Amino acid sequence: MPTVLVVDDDQKLLKMLQRTLVYENLNVLTASNGEEALPITDDHAPDLLIADWMMPKMDGVTLIRQLRA
């Protein structure tokens, strides 16, 4: 089963996306910011990452740049 990591600081949106993706038979991991997401990507190697653009601590753009480096 494919794994998706959803990263967003808006908890309502995060839960809504999680429910929707689980309904589509995907394994869903969540994080509230980029700093929280980095170790998850190391431990679980998700197939897809959905990240908010603006978040506290580490935004989505910085997260993607760090993962690509």
Side-chain angles (χ1 to χ4, degrees), residues 10-64:
D10 181 337
Q11 291 301 308
K12 287 183 181 181
L13 181 58
L14 191 66
K15 293 299 179 190
M16 186 267 310
L17 285 169
Q18 182 179 25
R19 281 192 309 270
T20 302
L21 294 169
V22 166
Y23 180 78
E24 295 297 329
N25 295 317
L26 297 167
N27 182 31
V28 180
L29 305 169
T30 61
S32 297
N33 60 61
E35 285 183 357
E36 191 179 309
L38 280 176
I40 295 172
T41 61
D42 290 338
D43 294 341
H44 299 283
D47 299 296
L48 176 68
L49 172 69
I50 300 172
D52 186 8
W53 185 270
M54 295 182 352
M55 295 179 286
K57 298 186 182 180
M58 182 188 296
D59 62 34
V61 175
T62 305
L63 171 63
I64 299 302

